[in-house]
């Protein structure tokens, strides 16, 4: 069974960052739902997400980042509107669809020319993302984002507590950071900014009125 550890622990954050750097999966709390996270720059690690979830390979994943400056690592031709939305709603439950940078792997995007990116508004998630980015930088590697869909089997209800992840995925994930109950409990709002005027692809906690 996976190890479930308090996400507020510095030791747990360091352990999780090391596992990600080694190409392993972890369970990660966000304010929306618990995610199944892998190094977004490691194709083999991301492939483990699809195997664990039973997720179709053409379903793109969302890249989670811990700092605005990583946007330019994963996306290109970023419109001014994207920076404005990031300033207004990040960290928070907003995912933006942007044109992907050349180095973003097809396994992350489902073969599409776009990538979904968000900065989660959960302290444990942010602590891990920033620690992981530090690990990557110290090794001379760019990046530090994680691909992280919901930590459940494909087609099942998204997990909002750590035990749900244990029940759903079991030994497929060696470590789960326990961040308590998810405060939002539904997936992030998704806004496509890759083709001109913004289009809401998935409603969520951030409403159309707020985005306007």
């Amino acid at each position: 069974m996976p190890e479930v550890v308090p996400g507020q622990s510095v030791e747990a954050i360091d352990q999780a960052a090391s596992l990600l750097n080694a190409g392993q999966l972890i369970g990660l709390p966000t304010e929306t739902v618990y995610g199944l996270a892998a190094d977004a720059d490691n194709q083999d690690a991301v492939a483990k997400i699809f195997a664990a979830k039973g997720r179709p390979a053409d379903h793109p994943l969302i890249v989670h980042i811990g700092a605005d400056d990583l946007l330019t690592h994963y996306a290109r031709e970023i419109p001014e509107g994207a920076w404005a939305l990031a300033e207004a709603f990040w960290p928070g439950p907003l995912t933006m669809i942007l044109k992907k940078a050349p180095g973003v792997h097809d396994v992350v995007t489902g073969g599409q020319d776009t990538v979904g990116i968000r900065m989660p508004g959960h302290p444990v998630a942010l602590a891990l993302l920033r620690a992981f980015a530090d690990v990557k930088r110290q090794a001379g590697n760019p990046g530090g984002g994680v691909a992280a869909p919901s930590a459940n089997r494909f087609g099942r209800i998204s997990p909002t507590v750590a035990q749900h992840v244990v029940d759903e995925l079991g030994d497929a994930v060696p470590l789960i950071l326990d961040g308590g109950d998810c405060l939002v409990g539904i997936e992030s709002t998704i806004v496509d900014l890759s083709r001109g005027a913004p289009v809401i692809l998935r409603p969520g906690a951030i409403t159309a009125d707020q985005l306007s």
Side-chain angles (χ1 to χ4, degrees):
M1 295 300 289
E3 183 181 3
V4 180
V5 296
Q8 297 80 6
S9 161
V10 173
E11 292 79 9
I13 293 294
D14 290 344
Q15 180 184 2
S18 295
L19 284 169
L20 288 172
N21 197 47
Q24 298 300 312
L25 303 179
I26 66 155
L28 176 68
T30 77
E31 77 280 24
T32 55
V33 298
Y34 274 74
L36 181 63
D39 181 354
D41 296 286
N42 182 329
Q43 295 184 77
D44 292 339
V46 175
K48 293 178 182 179
I49 291 175
F50 290 89
K53 285 176 62 70
R55 183 184 178 99
D58 60 350
H59 284 221
L61 305 177
I62 294 172
V63 176
H64 294 63
I65 61 175
D68 287 352
D69 59 9
L70 280 180
L71 258 181
T72 54
H73 178 73
Y74 295 103
R76 72 182 199 279
E77 300 175 27
I78 302 168
E80 287 300 318
W83 295 108
L85 288 178
E87 182 176 358
F89 295 108
W90 280 2
L94 176 69
T95 296
M96 294 189 288
I97 306 297
L98 301 165
K99 293 180 180 179
K100 74 171 186 177
V104 177
H105 298 300
D106 285 345
V107 68
V108 173
T109 66
Q112 300 182 31
D113 191 42
T114 56
V115 60
I117 306 176
R118 91 174 182 103
M119 185 188 300
H122 192 292
V124 173
L126 287 172
L128 173 64
L129 288 165
R130 290 163 183 172
F132 180 49
D134 285 343
V135 169
K136 299 274 281 190
R137 278 193 293 268
Q138 289 167 12
N141 298 322
V146 302
S150 56
N152 55 279
R153 300 281 180 184
F154 182 70
R156 291 174 60 86
I157 296 173
S158 299
T160 54
V161 298
Q163 186 59 45
H164 292 166
V165 184
V166 176
D167 296 341
E168 280 286 308
L169 300 176
D171 292 336
V173 51
L175 181 75
I176 299 168
L177 295 176
D178 189 347
D181 294 357
C182 298
L183 295 179
V184 176
I186 57 172
E187 281 83 355
S188 59
T189 302
I190 298 180
V191 179
D192 188 348
L193 294 119
S194 68
R195 296 174 178 81
V199 176
I200 297 176
L201 300 184
R202 182 177 73 187
I206 296 174
T207 67
D209 286 345
Q210 288 174 299
L211 292 169
S212 295

